[in-house]
Amino acid sequence: MNTPMVQAQGVHKRFGRLEVLKGIDLEVKSGEVMCIIGPSGSGKSTFLCCINHLEQINSGRLSVDGELVGYRERNGKLHELRDREVSAKRREIGMVFQHFNLFPHMTALGNVVEAPVRVGGQSKNGAAELGRELLTRVGLADKFDSYPAQLSGGQQQRVAIARALAMKPKLMLFDEPTSALDPELVGEVLDVMRELATSGMTMIVVTHEMGFAREVGDSLVFMDEGVIVESGNPRDVLTNPQEERTKSFLSKVL
């Protein structure tokens, strides 16, 4: 019961000579909402991509629900899993990106049921029933048959959230899910995320929405230049930051 949902130990990631993550250590408990803030280029999105092995780490250890991400340990050494094994593990982790990446030729319902049918092996009828439930949950009960081009940005992002939930993940990753939206559409997406948090979903949210972090987050991490500068209770960090770099950043965004 005490196993963290996410545990990072000394995680490093390089792209060529550029070291993007410089030894990340953190834990996310089951049911916790962790918000990650920081300037562009600080490594926030890269870290999310490492959690579901879209990017491979160069050193350190990263585990989800007690199991190493992308690797198996044997005789004290790490061996990379086969693509099929990685894909099976990745199904347990939902990810919502800044850009919606919906299939333009499919309806909202079609986008949501595609992965459960094609990847999860569900029947089309069962997946469609689940898809309708999830679209209703995110406030799109009247948009089952609408195509992405017929939806607002906020509606498209809510379809993307429903699509991620369709695989019944144990962990949800959000990579700045509202930053591509017009300001008046941000609230409808954050409302869905609040409901998810209330339901007990474990979430890691990279965000610029400080109000959301303060209200919904259980913990807050401030990253800069590939390291965690400061972390703690969101209200404490946002109102009384201890590090000068955190103070400087927050003075520009609050």
Side-chain angles (χ1 to χ4, degrees), residues 87-88 91 112-128 130 166-168:
S87 295
R91 293 176 208 169
V112 175
V113 304
E114 176 73 1
V117 171
R118 192 175 292 266
V119 179
Q122 287 191 33
S123 69
K124 288 185 177 180
N125 288 341
L130 173 63
M167 293 301 288
K168 301 179 180 178

Side-chain angles (χ1 to χ4, degrees), residues 71-140:
Y71 298 91
R72 179 183 293 111
E73 186 171 10
R74 190 182 303 130
N75 299 324
K77 292 186 177 181
L78 299 183
H79 302 269
E80 189 163 5
L81 298 177
R82 297 187 182 94
D83 288 346
R84 181 177 295 180
E85 294 173 295
V86 172
S87 295
K89 293 296 182 186
R90 195 176 285 142
R91 293 176 208 169
E92 300 177 344
I93 305 171
M95 187 157 183
V96 178
F97 297 89
Q98 178 178 346
H99 299 288
F100 328 120
N101 301 324
L102 299 178
F103 296 116
H105 62 288
M106 292 184 181
T107 63
L109 184 60
N111 269 279
V112 175
V113 304
E114 176 73 1
V117 171
R118 192 175 292 266
V119 179
Q122 287 191 33
S123 69
K124 288 185 177 180
N125 288 341
E129 182 178 352
L130 173 63
R132 285 189 286 268
E133 289 176 7
L134 290 171
L135 286 170
T136 299
R137 182 178 179 182
V138 300
L140 295 173

Side-chain angles (χ1 to χ4, degrees), residues 206-224:
V206 171
T207 184
H208 293 299
E209 301 293 335
M210 301 302 162
F212 175 86
R214 182 187 293 108
E215 175 194 346
V216 180
D218 298 301
S219 59
L220 182 69
V221 168
F222 171 63
M223 286 181 64
D224 189 31

